[in-house]
Amino acid sequence: MKRPGKRSSPLSGRILGYLKIEDFSMLCIELDMRNFMALCASGAYDRSPVHRSHPGFIVQMGSPASESPKVSTSIWDAPFEDEIRPSLRHNARGIISMANKGPNTNGSQFYVCYAPQAQLDGKNTVFGKVIGDEGMKTLAKFENLQVDKKGRFQGGQEIRIEKVTIHANPLAD
């Protein structure tokens, strides 16, 4: 299993806060959670860029290795299959899903819903939710930033997430 290391180069951009995640691994979302937990535990998401934000819809992030929103690399260095569970829905603010380019193309990118998004059910693997006041405040900060029609931050602003942690992550040190 590939485990990306922490960045060694200095980073620019505005850091907005951190997200604490409750995972849904108890519902047999094995690959997504193993991938996400390992990336979190390795620090790969620390200070990683936020790619786009669509207020009322989603905020997307999670390209730690490349810093490019076009790259999404899993711990296996290859895409992996969807693990869609009909009981897990995009039914609330703070729901987290894998972002992908179509069926079975999951990597490192994920998105967080700003509101319920039923149209995404069955298309992306729901694997967790943001918990805690600070995580929800960070989500609100993302949503309140000014963006263009494509969800890019105005003025070319680079926005980063400070850290992503999983509540009771068994892969963390």
Side-chain angles (χ1 to χ4, degrees):
M1 170 184 349
K2 179 183 169 193
R3 293 182 69 130
K6 292 185 180 183
R7 291 181 188 79
S8 58
S9 61
L11 298 172
S12 61
R14 187 170 160 199
I15 308 289
L16 284 190
Y18 79 94
L19 296 176
K20 186 172 186 179
I21 310 296
E22 177 184 344
D23 71 84
F24 296 156
S25 59
M26 70 280 192
L27 299 169
C28 298
I29 305 169
E30 184 179 331
L31 296 175
D32 287 278
M33 285 314 308
R34 183 178 299 155
N35 181 62
F36 193 73
M37 285 180 180
L39 290 168
C40 286
S42 73
Y45 289 128
D46 294 0
R47 296 181 175 233
S48 65
V50 177
H51 306 307
R52 63 187 179 120
S53 177
H54 296 281
F57 182 47
I58 60 138
V59 59
Q60 185 174 336
M61 60 193 85
S63 289
S66 70
E67 304 240 352
S68 167
K70 298 188 184 287
V71 176
S72 182
T73 306
S74 74
I75 59 172
W76 301 285
D77 215 17
F80 61 94
E81 65 191 57
D82 295 324
E83 297 177 284
I84 294 170
R85 302 291 184 266
S87 61
L88 297 176
R89 323 279 288 160
H90 297 85
N91 61 359
R93 181 175 182 82
I95 292 293
I96 302 173
S97 288
M98 292 304 296
N100 58 37
K101 297 176 186 174
N104 303 313
T105 60
N106 297 300
S108 61
Q109 290 193 28
F110 62 96
Y111 63 85
V112 184
C113 294
Y114 287 132
Q117 303 298 335
Q119 74 276 16
L120 298 175
D121 292 343
K123 295 179 182 167
N124 300 84
T125 302
V126 172
F127 65 89
K129 67 179 180 180
V130 174
I131 59 173
D133 290 341
E134 186 151 349
M136 293 309 263
K137 286 177 185 174
T138 298
L139 193 58
K141 288 177 188 177
F142 289 142
E143 191 171 23
N144 289 327
L145 291 171
Q146 296 296 311
V147 294
D148 65 18
K149 292 177 188 175
K150 293 184 178 182
R152 296 175 298 209
F153 298 104
Q154 281 192 348
Q157 234 184 143
E158 189 174 87
I159 304 299
R160 295 180 177 276
I161 185 72
E162 183 176 338
K163 186 176 187 86
V164 180
T165 60
I166 297 179
H167 180 68
N169 184 350
L171 299 181
D173 296 324

